[in-house]
Amino acid sequence: MSLARTAYEVATSAAEPLFGLVMRRRLRRGKEVEGRVGERFARPNVSRPAGPLVWLHGASIGETRLLLELARTLHAHRPGLHFLLTSQTVTAAELLDRAIAQDPALKGRALHQFAPLDSPAIARRFIHYWKPDAAIFAEGEIWPNLLKTLRRTDTPTALVNARMTEKSLQGWSRWSGLSRDLFGGFDVILAADRRTADGLSALAGRTVTSPGNLKAALPPPGHDADEEAALRKDFVGGGPCLVAVSTHDGEEAFVLDALALMSPRPACIIVPRHPERAPDIIRLIESRGMSHARRSAGDTATAMTDVLLADTLGEVGLFARLADTVYLGGGHAPGVGGHNPIEIIRLGRALATGPDVFNFDDAKRDLLGQPGYNIVETPADLAGGFPFPAPETELIARMESTARAPMDATIEALLPLLPEEPR
């Protein structure tokens, strides 16, 4: 075992007495859920389901949507499997709990828990309680103590849709022994892009392939047609509509600056990546002298409303369908690296985003120069280009025809790790 890994184990073990204080502070800030903090310490209040159990872990909303689709697809191949899905954030937890309750393929077959803290003792308690038959991690969720415990119990492990920036890869390369130990121990590693595949090949000491970004396989988000009709009638009217999706701190101001440059102003909908930021966004809207309606409060947006603040989850499909252009957040927020543009393009909506989209370099390279995909540097660029040309039908058809390929390749690689159906 590498010196770095030993140091990590010692440090996390020594820090464990402080975890309670950290969790109480996070609870006060709304970053944990009352009554569920015990899950962080691998003290669940639900029982392990009988039968084979696959553990799927992702950090936030993007990864958890991906893992939901992965669980559905695995269920279609192995109907006898149960699924434990874990996440780090409150918003991801809300999405998972609702999706499991509403999905006939997952209801009764899947459950959600908050991810455990990664100390040696908590990791052992978590794995001992749940006894997963396989563990699948999404994108960049690497937890050394959990991985060590899984490997000691001979539990098959996979890292799927792995995505790392050049900076992250360089950082891991400085700890070559730890990197080889962690990444080399996965039974399956699949990268979302070529850069990550090359970097992980060097770190793991074996060839890592990239079947493509699994998020391409996510179906376009659904919507309530009656809600769409009502919003078109009462709020959008017959005019244009700008929808800002998955915005981060600073990007709402970018959109409002662009809105102020437009005449006449389009209807504007802001869908923040983290709905709990709504009070800050409301203060920002009011500071610009603009009116707003808040979706989570049940406010009704009318033709007199400047901004509809959609601080809810699971409604991106509804709002994107109202848009003449979607501004996709993450490209102007430092360190975020952009968000997935594919689902918006597949809906047939023009998309504008910031230039800093390093997490989706492959998609940017494929889409740049195509109608429907636009990089905007300044609010004036967004205002001047609005409404941008929609993507062409040929591009949408091509994306639809290749959408399932990454998922098919991932399932093919994972099935040998999973328990066989009983005869």
Side-chain angles (χ1 to χ4, degrees), residues 21-22 80 84 94 105 126 182 192 252-253 256 259 295 301 355 368 382 384 392 415 420:
L21 177 64
V22 173
L84 169 67
E94 292 171 355
F126 181 87
L182 290 177
E252 295 88 11
L256 296 178
L259 198 64
R295 180 77 169 172
L368 198 60
L382 179 58
E392 295 177 348
L415 285 177
E420 293 286 347

Side-chain angles (χ1 to χ4, degrees), residues 79-210:
L81 293 177
H82 290 81
F83 301 97
L84 169 67
L85 293 105
T86 59
S87 64
Q88 300 286 5
T89 67
V90 171
T91 50
E94 292 171 355
L95 184 152
L96 281 166
D97 287 335
R98 185 171 63 250
I100 290 169
Q102 295 174 351
D103 192 325
L106 298 180
K107 190 173 183 180
R109 282 281 161 189
L111 56 89
H112 166 261
Q113 294 278 283
F114 280 99
L117 296 162
D118 192 45
S119 77
I122 294 173
R124 287 192 296 270
R125 188 159 58 240
F126 181 87
I127 302 305
H128 177 75
Y129 184 88
W130 291 108
K131 296 181 175 63
D133 293 277
I136 301 170
F137 298 82
E139 302 208 355
E141 285 292 286
I142 308 298
W143 296 103
N145 291 320
L146 282 164
L147 286 171
K148 179 180 179 180
T149 307
L150 286 165
R151 288 163 189 167
R152 280 185 168 176
T153 57
D154 294 324
T155 305
T157 57
L159 177 62
V160 301
N161 212 52
R163 289 191 301 127
M164 290 190 180
T165 65
E166 192 62 42
K167 183 178 180 180
S168 295
L169 290 167
Q170 290 174 0
W172 279 109
S173 68
R174 288 194 286 271
W175 302 92
S176 57
L178 176 62
S179 299
R180 182 69 61 93
D181 188 22
L182 290 177
F183 295 109
F186 280 105
D187 295 283
V188 168
I189 307 181
L190 298 172
D193 54 64
R194 188 70 259 162
R195 176 194 62 207
T196 302
D198 292 342
L200 285 177
S201 295
L203 294 175
R206 70 183 212 238
T207 301
V208 173
T209 61
S210 172

